[in-house]
Amino acid sequence: EGFVARDVAVTLGQLDSVTDFTVAELTGRFGAGGMSGTLQGGSGQIGNVPLLIDEAAGNWRYLNNVLTLDSNLQVLDAEQVDRFKPVRVPDMLLTLENSIIAAIGNIIEPETGTRVAGVDIRHNLNDSSGRALLAVDDLRFNERFQPSLLTPLVVGVFANVDGAVNGDGRIEWDRQGVRSSGRVATTGMNLAAAFGPVEGLTTEMVFTDLLGLETGPSQIATIASVNPGIPALNGAIQYQLLPDQQVRIESGRWPFAGGELILEPTTLDFGVEKERRLTFRVVGVDAEKFLAGYDFQNLRVSGVFDGTLPMIFNQDGGRIIGGALVSRPGGGEVSYLGELAYEDMGTFANFAFDALRSIRYSSLTIGVGGDIDGEIVTDISFTGLQQGSAAKRNFITKQLARIPIKFN
């Protein structure tokens, strides 16, 4: 005869094992092929792994001391604050033989049906030990499928991800606790980060705690292009993922306009909603190469500059606060080659404007500030000692050129 059992609670293993399952309804039938049937509403937890199984449903069979289960189930995060969103395993094949649970299947993101990873689980009921192997093979992010469908931790950190990741993970457990490790790699990924658009991101993260999303120090990411208000090409960042959604920036360097753009060490906390600060240091930048990145068709500046670009990022975007590029000793030349919109204001005023055609300066400061997606060059001020090499000269201008001129 057939049988129906409801609200079944099952504990597998020794008394101190926490391999517990609850089955809402178990139906079956005895026959020549052993026992077989269906289950619905199964839930549980394997060992002390912080992952929960829910909504398990499928067909089971018990024959020759082997229990086989072909099921569809959901996997959830057991932590109070979810690190990942619920996913499904529609093809979990589980066997129980000689106190060993073995299971294989594919993890699927339920909204889009995207395959995230393959999973291989083995658990020993005799000593409550086991391991789970994860394999990520060419998981591709695009307009349809974004990392925010997998984890809420990326919201407000980056978006518009275009690229693929590969990797693997290993979770091990016993009565002493849970340990996890793994790696995730990507090549040439594009995304929109909190500090600006990123293109050509290549990195391999080696996790010391995969479930906690922690890495060892000195992880390296190379970036083809990043634009935190000022475009920088072909750089590298050294970083570490810390507990509680913190990222330690150890260093960052980009070749930049004949010099270097250096990201100062800092720790970014993405676990709370607050302002995050980054400071970029500019070293040995060639002014002509720097201004070539902007639409200053009528302005030419020569000289070598150093400076700092303090940046603040929040949910509304990023902005530069009080940044400045200051010329090195020796100065340079500045030339305004465009038309001047002013009426004749007399000899001295006319000379001052005409001097802008070419003037030799001793010190020049470029003020930088404002929203990184808007205008960020706020002012240019300099002190000139004499007219430059391209200036027109006559008796009067030669005499006036002896007078220091300061432009703001």
Side-chain angles (χ1 to χ4, degrees), residues 1-269:
E1 297 294 335
F3 66 88
V4 177
R6 294 184 175 89
D7 299 327
V8 180
V10 182
T11 299
L12 299 173
Q14 298 177 343
L15 293 177
D16 60 352
S17 171
V18 288
T19 308
D20 297 329
F21 295 90
T22 299
V23 179
E25 183 171 292
L26 189 68
T27 64
R29 181 175 298 276
F30 297 97
M35 292 188 294
S36 63
T38 62
L39 67 85
Q40 293 182 347
S43 61
Q45 184 174 9
I46 298 179
N48 47 10
V49 182
L51 304 175
L52 301 178
I53 296 172
D54 196 19
E55 298 182 4
N59 300 314
W60 63 271
R61 183 182 182 187
Y62 185 73
L63 178 64
N64 298 328
N65 296 318
V66 178
L67 175 64
T68 303
L69 173 62
D70 184 2
S71 68
N72 178 349
L73 54 86
Q74 182 176 240
V75 180
L76 306 91
D77 194 347
E79 294 294 311
Q80 186 173 3
V81 178
D82 288 344
R83 296 161 296 183
F84 64 89
K85 295 184 177 181
V87 292
R88 296 209 69 87
V89 183
D91 56 353
M92 179 65 78
L93 179 61
L94 180 149
T95 61
L96 171 57
E97 182 179 8
N98 295 327
S99 299
I100 301 295
I101 295 177
I104 58 172
N106 291 287
I107 299 174
I108 304 297
E109 192 283 313
E111 185 173 326
T112 62
T114 301
R115 180 185 183 274
V116 177
V119 60
D120 181 339
I121 299 173
R122 183 178 178 87
H123 181 72
N124 190 331
L125 294 171
N126 291 325
D127 58 9
S128 296
S129 66
R131 56 97 178 122
L133 305 178
L134 303 171
V136 179
D137 183 19
D138 197 34
L139 177 60
R140 186 161 297 275
F141 297 107
N142 49 36
E143 292 183 0
R144 176 174 172 268
F145 180 70
Q146 287 291 297
S148 56
L149 290 172
L150 298 176
T151 172
L153 302 182
V154 302
V155 177
V157 181
F158 55 82
N160 301 329
V161 179
D162 181 14
V165 297
N166 294 277
D168 54 68
R170 184 181 182 93
I171 306 172
E172 298 177 303
W173 57 88
D174 52 32
R175 294 187 183 120
Q176 281 68 51
V178 179
R179 300 165 299 281
S180 62
S181 60
R183 65 171 189 89
V184 173
T186 185
T187 301
M189 177 175 284
N190 302 327
L191 55 89
F195 49 82
V198 173
E199 295 183 359
L201 169 66
T202 298
T203 188
E204 181 180 55
M205 291 180 284
V206 179
F207 291 94
T208 55
D209 182 354
L210 181 62
L211 292 173
L213 298 179
E214 299 175 32
T215 70
S218 302
Q219 309 292 307
I220 295 176
T222 59
I223 302 174
S225 170
V226 61
N227 191 348
I230 294 176
L233 308 176
N234 301 319
I237 292 179
Q238 198 164 293
Y239 66 95
Q240 180 181 9
L241 302 186
L242 300 175
D244 303 320
Q245 301 180 48
Q246 297 189 77
V247 180
R248 170 67 178 168
I249 303 296
E250 299 173 2
S251 67
R253 288 180 177 269
W254 291 261
F256 183 63
E260 274 193 305
L261 185 66
I262 300 174
L263 177 58
E264 297 288 349
T266 187
T267 298
L268 303 176
D269 187 354

